[in-house]
Amino acid sequence: MALAASLTHGSSSFLYGESPKSTLFMGAPLTFSLSTISGKQSFLPKKLVVHCRKFSYFEEAMRISRERELQSEPKFRRRLPLRRGRVSPRLPVPDHIPKPPYLSSNILPELSPEPQIHDSEGITKMRAACELAAKVLNYAGTLVRPSVTTNEIDKAVHQMIIEAGAYPSPLGYGGFPKSVCTSVNECMCHGIPDSRQLQDGDIINIDVTVYLNGYHGDTSKTFFCGNVSNELKRLVKVTEECMEKAISVCQHGANFKKIGKRICDHAEKYGYGVVERFVGHGVGTVFHSEPIILHNRNEKRGFMVEGQTFTIEPILTMGSTECVTWPDNWTTLTADGSPAAQFEHTILITRTGAEILTRC
């Protein structure tokens, strides 16, 4: 679950062009006067110019084939802005399931200054919590299809978590009313599940965190709903690649600032913006702790330590990285309505690299 940071925002705009279509060869223009045709002086002083278009049957066949391909490809189309649906009451959790301490208040907890560094027993418990979170997320993804509501996804996720003897970490965190975050299209993060039905062509990030045996496992993924445009597919693909490239630089002794550089280097190749406001975080016995993981270029000091766990969760946009938050104080959208995608893993720092704990 992304953590908001009070950072200076950058904004960018991008031009979206299509690959140039193949053109037919054009012959040189044939020029002649009317007098040449009639053998008499024409009363029209201007010359006629006739352009001859030369092409082969092969080129014409290629043109027709390309037109058919373009017609069959799903196109990115701007949708109506997201509107909040009806939010159903909070779901109950059985009394026997251990609950995190922040449920005693609806006030958003302070970021813990203590990094999450574990001994062998703690690592075993982190692995269990993260494995469950990954399984729940994969299951949630199977529910994504047109006409399904995000509230239905929340209910199914909630049931799977409590049946496993765990607590859905977002539920009641700072007053958050649901067990999972569902962020659709231009929603950057922290979308509250409601009665809105998913539409064909939507993209949706589902953010799952579970609290099992005193440890949080945190992960998210952006899923396709029905026939998604190639432009959105590329956004989602590149966002996941950014996360993976950032994880690849992590190991004991590595500087945290490498994460943001690796993400921005890759995102900018495709003209995408990297959101600065929402960051990764330490996670373990505490839901959100130091270190703050910046996804943009930065000069953050500090080094990774063996046994440490934290999240990397970049958000990329097709337009502005500025955001607006709804009156619910959670749902955050891109300021210009452009689509956004996010991926997240909880990782464990090792001597030689990073172990992805939230991978099934």
Side-chain angles (χ1 to χ4, degrees), residues 243-289:
M243 177 191 65
E244 291 171 346
K245 287 180 180 296
I247 293 172
S248 72
V249 302
C250 295
Q251 65 175 12
H252 176 76
N255 196 304
F256 285 110
K257 68 182 181 181
K258 289 184 176 181
I259 292 173
K261 181 180 186 306
R262 185 58 66 94
I263 289 170
C264 288
D265 283 349
H266 191 60
E268 289 168 2
K269 292 178 184 177
Y270 298 87
Y272 297 135
V274 178
V275 175
E276 297 182 14
R277 180 177 178 184
F278 295 100
V279 297
H281 51 88
V283 63
T285 56
V286 178
F287 194 174
H288 295 104
S289 79

Side-chain angles (χ1 to χ4, degrees), residues 191-266:
I192 297 175
D194 59 24
S195 61
R196 179 190 182 275
Q197 292 183 328
L198 294 176
Q199 306 296 312
D200 184 62
D202 282 349
I203 58 173
I204 174 175
N205 176 271
I206 301 177
D207 192 336
V208 172
T209 313
V210 303
Y211 182 68
L212 178 67
N213 297 323
Y215 288 77
H216 297 272
D218 191 0
T219 185
S220 84
K221 181 177 181 179
T222 299
F223 297 93
F224 301 137
C225 181
N227 298 306
V228 173
S229 71
N230 291 333
E231 288 86 347
L232 289 179
K233 286 180 179 178
R234 188 178 72 164
L235 171 68
V236 171
K237 179 176 182 291
V238 173
T239 305
E240 185 172 22
E241 290 171 351
C242 283
M243 177 191 65
E244 291 171 346
K245 287 180 180 296
I247 293 172
S248 72
V249 302
C250 295
Q251 65 175 12
H252 176 76
N255 196 304
F256 285 110
K257 68 182 181 181
K258 289 184 176 181
I259 292 173
K261 181 180 186 306
R262 185 58 66 94
I263 289 170
C264 288
D265 283 349
H266 191 60

Side-chain angles (χ1 to χ4, degrees), residues 1 3 111-118 126 173 209 216 218 256 279-294 300 308-313 344-347:
M1 186 176 185
L3 180 70
L111 177 74
S112 172
E114 298 297 325
Q116 304 296 291
I117 302 174
H118 312 282
M126 275 299 295
Y173 180 80
T209 313
H216 297 272
D218 191 0
F256 285 110
V279 297
H281 51 88
V283 63
T285 56
V286 178
F287 194 174
H288 295 104
S289 79
E290 290 283 358
I292 289 175
I293 306 300
L294 303 177
K300 180 179 175 62
Q308 186 175 32
T309 52
F310 55 83
T311 70
I312 296 178
E313 43 188 308
E344 174 186 13
H345 272 313
T346 296
I347 65 172

Side-chain angles (χ1 to χ4, degrees), residues 296-332:
N296 57 294
R297 288 192 181 86
N298 65 88
E299 294 301 323
K300 180 179 175 62
R301 296 181 179 180
F303 298 88
M304 304 170 201
V305 178
E306 184 177 7
Q308 186 175 32
T309 52
F310 55 83
T311 70
I312 296 178
E313 43 188 308
I315 303 172
L316 269 59
T317 73
M318 290 177 67
S320 174
T321 58
E322 297 289 341
C323 62
V324 292
T325 301
W326 283 357
D328 61 26
N329 293 323
W330 286 103
T331 309
T332 302

Side-chain angles (χ1 to χ4, degrees), residues 90-104 162 165-169 171 211-214 216 285:
R90 177 171 165 170
L91 295 171
V93 178
D95 292 338
H96 71 273
I97 292 178
K99 299 171 180 63
Y102 50 75
L103 295 184
S104 60
I162 63 173
Y167 184 89
S169 302
L171 186 63
Y211 182 68
L212 178 67
N213 297 323
H216 297 272
T285 56

Side-chain angles (χ1 to χ4, degrees), residues 59-71:
E59 289 161 350
E60 177 66 3
M62 290 294 290
R63 182 185 66 79
I64 294 172
S65 175
R66 179 57 181 156
E67 285 181 354
R68 288 175 177 171
E69 287 177 3
L70 291 173
Q71 290 173 0

